[in-house]
Amino acid sequence: MKKSNSKFILAAIWIAFILISYYFALVPINLQSPGFWVFLIYVLGIGAGLFLLHQIFVEKRLTLTKHIGSYLVMATLLVTIVGGIMFLYSMPIFHAKTYANLINKQEGDFAKDVAELPINQIPTVDRDTALRLGDRKMGEIVELVSQFNVAPDYTQINYQGKPVRVSPLQYADFFKWLNNTKEGLPSYIRVDMVTGVVDLVTPEQSIKYSESELFFKNVRRYLRMNYPMDIFGDFSFEIDEQGVPYWIVSVRYNTIGLFGGTDIKEVIMLNATTGDHQKLKLEEVPEWVDRVYDADLVIGQVNYNGRYQNGFINSIFGQKGVLATTEGYNYLALNDDVYLYTGITSVVRDESNIGFILINMRTKETTFYSIPSAEEYSAMDSAQGAVQEKRYLSTFPLLLNIEGEPVYFMSLKDAAGLIKMYALVDAQNYQKVIVGNSVEEVVKSFTGRTGTVTEPTPEEPKEEFGIQGKITDIKSVVMDGNTYFYILLDGRSDVFIANVKVSEKLPFLKIGDEIQGQYVERYKGVHEIVRLQ
């Protein structure tokens, strides 16, 4: 074989490799996509390797200049360097204020903005419970369970004025796909989040485009081939008011540098049964669509706002006014829209919130409520503590308006994941806990119409130990409205914590002062000072 012919064959192999890689990678052909740059470096590097190997083993020489292999090496290095520079330039250190302005928060009135739900409309079914209910429903239908599973999506939406979770079926394995792909997926699951009723819905036409499809009916590949340059966000399975299934896909773009400040500019709607699709501007999206923005994106923007509103340097040193979202989030159904809820806390606090935000997942309208409250996981611990002998686990809280006040609502589950009880925890005073066997029972008890508040279980007296030493560091923080001092002593690695109520001297202590008193052990390495002399 002539050397010139072998080069053409090698080029054809490389091009085939690029096309096959693109078929699986499905990266957008867009300079704003980090994935595209990685893909470009990958295929250029492979090409450089192939032609250099050809030069060594076929041409029996290695020339570092004036050869396609060396040109590809230089192209790979150039793309890597340029991509790295653009990545660094897009970082918050150069654009802190712009990052902070990615989302706009407005102040709200909780009692007016968040409607008080009737007892019989409070959602009790979280995603984990919906998964179990959906699997149980499938198990009842023998002819389907042998061929299909339920996809784990369970998107929370509003359907005909009610909060529900919906998820399509998926093929059980490759051979089940082979047997059924021509007809498509026959149904989807709809779970009522209030009553827990599960419906296996069979639309007029079967679902032909889904994430479990292979080849060109796979929803991601199908849309990529139709929109090769768009950067896709989350793929959300939803249904319209007539029960027709759709895939809702947000189109992202970057507003800062080449890779920073990701936001949403358009939405692609794909009819999951017919394959019809259209790309809409944000203001053109129908009101029945609930999930345009995904949770990770908006939470990231809220954190940028809290971290960089006073500049990048302040976010690292001083941290004046630096805020962050708490771990975890949940959704509320309000005014026929879905809102994301999460708490807002100071970066120097760990058990209390200064307020919380609600974000409309269709419009990104963001409202901040300045209501000091317990951090969600503290409320969960409080609810679990009220039934500690049963060892139930709490779901992540749902924020409710009860008589104008924010209250955390949680389901309590046993080890099998089944809901056994319900709990309400006052968001502003998480010592106030109500538990009961029904939603009606806990709501009525919480409002004082029946029942009583669960009081904190008294703790056993702890052994006290003597403390004496010179202060090497001291910091103060505020938690749940109380000031605590964290103290390090010379020659000891343990941390000592003291409530300001322990001694009036605490606010005046400084590094180098000698202290003497008694402490009790909280846990290994951390102790609580109970008395100072």
Side-chain angles (χ1 to χ4, degrees), residues 61-256:
R61 63 189 179 89
L62 180 60
T63 305
L64 298 180
T65 59
K66 296 183 179 181
H67 188 275
I68 189 170
S70 59
Y71 293 146
L72 288 174
V73 169
M74 289 186 288
T76 304
L77 293 175
L78 179 62
V79 171
T80 302
I81 292 170
V82 172
I85 292 173
M86 295 309 300
F87 175 80
L88 291 174
Y89 176 71
S90 303
M91 294 178 69
I93 188 172
F94 302 108
H95 311 277
K97 285 292 185 181
T98 311
Y99 271 92
N101 293 329
L102 284 172
I103 200 166
N104 296 313
K105 297 184 297 186
Q106 60 183 7
E107 294 280 342
D109 185 325
F110 179 78
K112 293 181 179 178
D113 295 348
V114 181
E116 186 169 354
L117 293 177
I119 292 176
N120 61 355
Q121 292 183 20
I122 295 176
T124 61
V125 177
D126 64 348
R127 184 175 177 275
D128 180 65
T129 302
L131 278 165
R132 294 174 183 273
L133 293 173
D135 289 343
R136 185 186 303 170
K137 184 70 174 180
M138 282 295 294
E140 298 172 357
I141 307 172
V142 179
E143 65 273 16
L144 289 182
V145 76
S146 63
Q147 301 294 311
F148 307 98
N149 298 322
V150 185
D153 302 52
Y154 285 96
T155 311
Q156 180 176 335
I157 63 171
N158 286 329
Y159 173 66
Q160 297 183 352
K162 299 185 298 183
V164 301
R165 289 186 178 271
V166 290
S167 194
L169 301 187
Q170 62 182 12
Y171 302 105
D173 54 44
F174 172 76
F175 296 102
K176 305 301 190 299
W177 168 82
L178 204 60
N179 293 334
N180 296 281
T181 182
K182 186 176 181 180
E183 292 77 19
L185 301 170
S187 308
Y188 60 83
I189 291 287
R190 186 179 67 219
V191 183
D192 190 309
M193 294 181 61
V194 176
T195 64
V197 172
V198 182
D199 292 313
L200 185 70
V201 182
T202 301
E204 292 183 4
Q205 294 177 274
S206 60
I207 297 173
K208 296 293 183 64
Y209 298 86
S210 69
E211 294 188 292
S212 66
E213 282 287 352
L214 303 180
F215 306 116
F216 290 99
K217 284 189 178 181
N218 177 280
V219 63
R220 294 179 182 271
R221 184 167 292 110
Y222 179 73
L223 288 181
R224 172 56 65 221
M225 297 306 166
N226 283 280
Y227 302 95
M229 301 182 67
D230 288 328
I231 303 174
F232 296 153
D234 276 2
F235 281 63
S236 177
F237 181 81
E238 296 194 31
I239 58 176
D240 65 13
E241 295 300 294
Q242 287 72 46
V244 177
Y246 280 83
W247 290 99
I248 308 300
V249 184
S250 56
V251 178
R252 295 183 172 188
Y253 75 117
N254 298 324
T255 62
I256 302 172

Side-chain angles (χ1 to χ4, degrees), residues 375-388:
E375 190 265 341
E376 293 87 346
Y377 284 94
S378 297
M380 291 167 65
D381 290 340
S382 186
Q384 290 170 180
V387 289
Q388 56 186 315

Side-chain angles (χ1 to χ4, degrees), residues 437-454:
N437 295 315
S438 69
V439 177
E440 183 178 9
E441 179 183 344
V442 294
V443 172
K444 287 184 176 180
S445 296
F446 191 88
T447 56
R449 296 165 192 164
T450 62
T452 58
V453 175
T454 302

